């Protein structure tokens, strides 16, 4: 089995696509090319790529729509949007789609490589470092026992399924703004959460459990116009 990170380059211009595929393949990545949404969807039927380089200007479904679709599939896929100088990119729209980063055409291959590596560090770091225990604010989430541990005295607090689901998603996506609708979608399968507000209420409850000061949350931050972001403790 090939364990190299798998990057998919989605670009409708064949010459440009081939250039990127060749360049990244030389950097010891496994690389596939896709000329648009249908080809990308077909690739994903076989496996989840590690990272997708997504051209914004595509015929049919544009890059933003595809980014949103990818994010619904997985919080772990790294997404870098490639924008043309003529695209006006609204940062909030970008964050809402769940992209991790942007790069504008024309760009230096080395700049692209730096961005790719930085996104891969973020996305794969979560898989290798988080393990079954994740520090969140003043508590530690034990994913195996499904409890919050207080490191001060070792006491454990059992979590409701809906709370555990949400904390798990945060633990898997540190330092990434997560869209509220997306959070609701990926965590609502166990219970019928009829209202949007359910996410906010769960966040409020969780903040009381993990934040040093729930009135000024530091571990689960609010990202205006988007949703929430988990920020792991610094030390
Ligand atoms: Ca294009």
């Amino acid at each position: 089995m090939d364990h190299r990170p798998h990057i998919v380059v989605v670009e409708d211009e064949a010459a440009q696509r081939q250039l990127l595929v060749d360049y990244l393949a030389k950097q010891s990545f496994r690389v596939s090319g896709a000329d648009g949404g249908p080809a990308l969807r077909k690739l994903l039927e076989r496996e989840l790529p590690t990272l997708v380089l997504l051209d914004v200007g595509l015929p049919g479904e544009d890059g933003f729509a595809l980014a949103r679709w990818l994010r619904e599939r997985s919080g772990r896929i790294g997404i870098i949007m490639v924008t043309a100088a003529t695209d006006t990119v609204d940062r909030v729209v970008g964050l809402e789609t769940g992209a991790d980063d942007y790069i504008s055409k024309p760009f230096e291959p080395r700049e692209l490589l730096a961005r790719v590596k930085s996104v891969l560090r973020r996305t794969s770091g979560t898989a290798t470092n988080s393990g079954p225990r994740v520090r969140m604010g003043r508590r530690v989430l034990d994913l195996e026992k499904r409890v919050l541990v207080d490191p001060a005295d070792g006491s454990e607090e059992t979590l409701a399924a809906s709370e555990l689901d949400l904390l798990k998603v945060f633990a898997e996506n540190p330092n990434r703004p997560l869209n509220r609708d997306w959070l609701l979608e990926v965590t609502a399968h166990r219970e019928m959460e009829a209202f949007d507000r359910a996410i906010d209420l769960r966040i409020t409850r969780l903040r009381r459990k993990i934040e040093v000061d729930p009135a000024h949350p530091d571990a689960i931050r609010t990202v205006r116009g988007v949703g929430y972001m988990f920020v792991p403790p610094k030390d």
Side-chain angles (χ1 to χ4, degrees):
M1 196 165 155
D2 193 338
H3 289 292
R4 290 175 300 165
H6 181 204
I7 301 179
V8 179
V9 176
V10 187
E11 166 65 69
D12 56 313
E13 287 153 56
Q16 173 91 7
R17 182 174 67 245
Q18 200 52 47
L19 206 73
L20 290 171
V21 168
D22 290 346
Y23 174 71
L24 290 168
K26 267 191 229 146
Q27 313 295 328
S28 77
F29 296 115
R30 191 153 59 89
V31 193
S32 307
D35 61 3
L40 176 67
R41 283 168 197 273
K42 207 156 189 182
L43 270 167
L44 258 87
E45 280 170 19
R46 274 183 280 136
E47 64 169 306
L48 284 185
T50 324
L51 186 143
V52 178
L53 207 59
L54 203 49
D55 185 32
V56 170
L58 294 167
E61 247 176 322
D62 70 7
F64 289 128
L66 287 173
R68 220 171 281 127
W69 175 77
L70 278 171
R71 199 41 91 221
E72 280 166 20
R73 294 287 304 267
S74 166
R76 295 197 112 110
I77 303 175
I79 302 175
I80 300 180
M81 307 297 301
V82 180
T83 63
T86 48
D87 295 328
T88 43
V89 177
D90 184 324
R91 178 127 185 98
V92 172
V93 170
L95 285 176
E96 275 181 350
T97 65
D100 295 291
D101 205 353
Y102 293 99
I103 191 159
S104 300
K105 291 180 193 172
F107 49 80
E108 293 290 326
R110 281 171 58 183
E111 191 193 348
L112 172 69
L113 186 62
R115 306 273 177 110
V116 165
K117 283 184 172 169
S118 144
V119 169
L120 285 178
R121 254 197 308 279
R122 260 186 285 161
T123 50
S124 69
T126 62
T128 49
N129 301 343
S130 68
R133 285 170 84 98
V134 186
R135 285 177 62 207
M136 302 185 109
R138 63 187 176 86
R139 312 291 283 274
V140 176
L141 173 67
D142 187 322
L143 284 164
E144 228 153 77
K145 289 167 87 177
R146 311 158 63 88
V147 294
L148 276 177
V149 182
D150 189 336
D153 58 7
S155 63
E156 296 178 353
E157 180 176 351
T158 311
L159 288 164
S162 61
E163 294 175 337
L164 180 77
D165 282 354
L166 200 50
L167 285 184
K168 212 172 146 197
V169 171
F170 281 123
E172 286 169 352
N173 297 277
N175 299 312
R176 175 186 283 168
L178 301 175
N179 179 268
R180 290 171 75 254
D181 296 338
W182 180 76
L183 283 171
L184 190 70
E185 226 168 279
V186 296
T187 62
H189 58 281
R190 292 180 199 251
E191 290 166 24
M192 292 306 289
E193 302 273 12
F195 303 101
D196 211 26
R197 294 281 303 164
I199 281 288
D200 299 334
L201 294 174
R202 268 190 277 169
I203 295 285
T204 304
R205 260 195 330 258
L206 289 171
R207 279 173 170 163
R208 265 185 232 125
K209 297 183 181 190
I210 69 168
E211 297 287 353
V212 175
D213 178 4
H216 301 95
D218 193 46
I220 300 178
R221 297 188 190 168
T222 301
V223 182
R224 258 177 227 296
V226 181
Y228 299 99
M229 177 166 73
F230 164 53
V231 180
K234 289 277 177 291
D235 48 289

